[in-house]
Amino acid sequence: MTRKKVIVTGGAGFIGSALARHLVLEEDAEVVVIDKMTYAANRANIASAEATGRCRLIVEDICHQQAMTDIVAREKPQQILHLAAESHVDRSISGPRDFVETNVIGTYAMLEAARAYWAGLKGAEKDDFRFLHVSTDEVYGSLGPEGLFHETTPYDPSSPYSASKAASDHLAKAWFRTYGLPVVVSNCSNNYGPYHFPEKLIPLVILNALEGKELPVYGDGSNIRDWLYVEDHARALSLIATKGELGETYNVGGRNERTNLQVVEKICDELDKLVPGERPRRELIRFVTDRPGHDHRYAIDATKLETDLGWRAQENFETGLAKTVRWYLDNADWWTPLRKTVYSGERLGLSEPQKA
């Protein structure tokens, strides 16, 4: 049987690397990672996949359309799983240009590269080709105290990040409707787990708490997110790419709603249990000025994915968080250089105008 070949854009980042590892180590696929290797990418994230000889890294910017066209034509993948994106909301507030360029122009370049390649395929190869565009639940905006995001929920993005992802979602759907490119779209809730870059909430709190630093919580900590363990997400993405209906959207969520304050407190309690300190780490919590345009609640209904494709999350928030905390305790050699040279825990997202 021929081994499946997959291109994963953004495959040295957090979710992309989890997907690359899953495809190589669990599905015996061949994976070509395309990654610009920005601050949030790390080759160590895919070291275990590369060690098999079935994962290769190509360092390139997805915005370079001719390069993408050449790579796709040369590699001849059965699937392109497009995850490359600028993804941190706070950074999008202080520097939106990169988000528009990577998330919108980069997605356009990937769609065109895929279309050029797909147009030259014939027979079963053409019928089997898939392009999965991976997106976020933030495109839907903010929920009230009740209800869930469905695949049919109208888009209402609040931040430069979510607006850029909404635009890229629309491009992907348009390339399916206009050109027939075999596109599927996924929108996920907040991911967490191993190899998560330490600017995001859960790894930031883990590392700050270990170092005895203050734990900043935006506003009153009541903002709610639905948390999804990254390895559960990786399984879902492979399934959607392979079995999802063309032109459709699939929401991926963990059914694990927690307030930000509950998340921070749970991390504190888990660390107190594993690495007791002189005082409870909850005493490090500090409430800070809220993020501009901070959506209050996200929650995903993953019924379509569960019913139509048979996916189920294997981790709940308690088991997933325990694994995540333990991973950071056991892998200081991964995050220590990042804290020293790339991001030391300072606040991001201050909304100062960018220069042209």
Side-chain angles (χ1 to χ4, degrees):
M1 184 176 178
T2 304
R3 179 176 284 135
K4 179 172 70 174
K5 188 171 187 180
V6 183
I7 286 178
V8 178
T9 70
F14 172 46
I15 301 174
S17 66
L19 177 58
R21 294 191 304 272
H22 171 79
L23 289 168
V24 171
L25 302 176
E26 303 300 328
E27 297 191 13
D28 194 38
E30 180 181 353
V31 172
V32 177
V33 167
I34 302 174
D35 204 297
K36 186 180 177 181
M37 300 306 289
T38 64
Y39 75 96
N42 191 333
R43 192 160 189 170
N45 296 1
I46 55 172
S48 59
E50 285 192 291
T52 67
R54 288 183 281 106
C55 179
R56 290 183 289 114
L57 171 65
I58 297 175
V59 180
E60 185 56 87
D61 186 344
I62 60 167
C63 293
H64 296 161
Q65 185 177 340
Q66 188 59 55
M68 293 304 101
T69 300
D70 293 345
I71 290 169
V72 173
R74 181 179 72 240
E75 297 297 339
K76 298 180 171 53
Q78 282 82 55
Q79 298 176 350
I80 297 176
L81 278 55
H82 176 45
L83 291 87
E86 294 288 344
S87 67
H88 189 50
V89 175
D90 284 351
R91 288 183 186 268
S92 83
I93 294 170
S94 55
R97 184 187 184 98
D98 288 344
F99 288 73
V100 174
E101 290 179 348
T102 298
N103 299 355
V104 181
I105 303 302
T107 296
Y108 161 77
M110 288 307 307
L111 288 166
E112 282 293 86
R115 184 162 74 99
Y117 168 66
W118 173 73
L121 297 177
K122 298 184 184 301
E125 287 186 346
K126 189 164 191 174
D127 293 340
D128 293 342
F129 180 76
R130 295 290 183 273
F131 184 104
L132 173 63
H133 174 66
V134 180
S135 189
T136 171
D137 60 356
E138 296 194 34
V139 298
Y140 299 126
S142 184
L143 281 168
E146 303 294 332
L148 300 169
F149 291 137
H150 302 274
E151 285 81 1
T152 56
T153 299
Y155 277 28
D156 187 25
S158 300
S159 69
Y161 162 61
S162 57
S164 68
K165 289 299 291 184
S168 64
D169 291 7
H170 291 316
L171 288 177
K173 287 291 187 76
W175 258 243
F176 167 72
R177 293 173 183 170
T178 301
Y179 304 113
L181 185 69
V183 168
V184 188
V185 174
S186 67
N187 296 83
C188 69
S189 58
N190 280 39
N191 280 230
Y192 70 101
Y195 300 99
H196 204 176
F197 188 78
E199 70 186 358
K200 300 297 181 79
L201 176 65
I202 286 179
L204 175 64
V205 170
I206 292 171
L207 301 184
N208 275 10
L210 279 175
E211 297 172 3
K213 295 181 177 179
E214 291 186 352
L215 308 179
V217 176
Y218 289 166
D220 61 2
S222 65
N223 298 75
I224 295 171
R225 299 294 181 263
D226 173 16
W227 292 94
L228 173 66
Y229 192 64
V230 70
E231 293 176 8
D232 281 330
H233 189 198
R235 289 189 300 104
L237 293 177
S238 179
L239 184 63
I240 293 166
T242 303
K243 296 185 177 180
E245 185 176 343
L246 297 184
E248 289 294 308
T249 293
Y250 293 86
N251 282 347
V252 191
R255 301 189 186 276
N256 292 301
E257 289 186 59
R258 298 291 189 280
T259 68
N260 287 347
L261 182 58
Q262 287 174 326
V263 171
V264 174
E265 289 176 339
K266 182 66 176 176
I267 293 169
C268 290
D269 296 345
E270 191 72 22
L271 284 172
D272 286 347
K273 181 174 67 177
L274 296 172
V275 190
E278 295 181 0
R279 58 183 180 134
R281 289 183 171 87
R282 288 192 182 203
E283 294 181 12
L284 298 170
I285 294 173
R286 299 290 183 272
F287 295 97
V288 300
T289 304
D290 206 356
R291 166 197 290 163
H294 195 181
D295 292 331
H296 189 262
R297 175 173 172 260
Y298 303 145
I300 271 186
D301 182 355
T303 299
K304 180 178 177 180
L305 174 62
E306 294 166 342
T307 302
D308 293 1
L309 302 186
W311 175 85
R312 292 290 185 280
Q314 294 179 357
E315 303 293 342
N316 60 40
F317 187 69
E318 284 66 31
T319 62
L321 187 67
K323 286 185 175 183
T324 301
V325 171
R326 171 53 65 187
W327 188 87
Y328 280 90
L329 290 175
D330 292 343
N331 289 275
D333 57 338
W334 179 85
W335 55 261
T336 298
L338 299 179
R339 292 277 281 193
K340 288 182 177 179
T341 62
V342 183
Y343 175 71
S344 61
E346 69 275 11
R347 177 161 188 186
L348 303 168
L350 303 177
S351 51
E352 297 178 358
Q354 281 189 288
K355 296 180 180 179

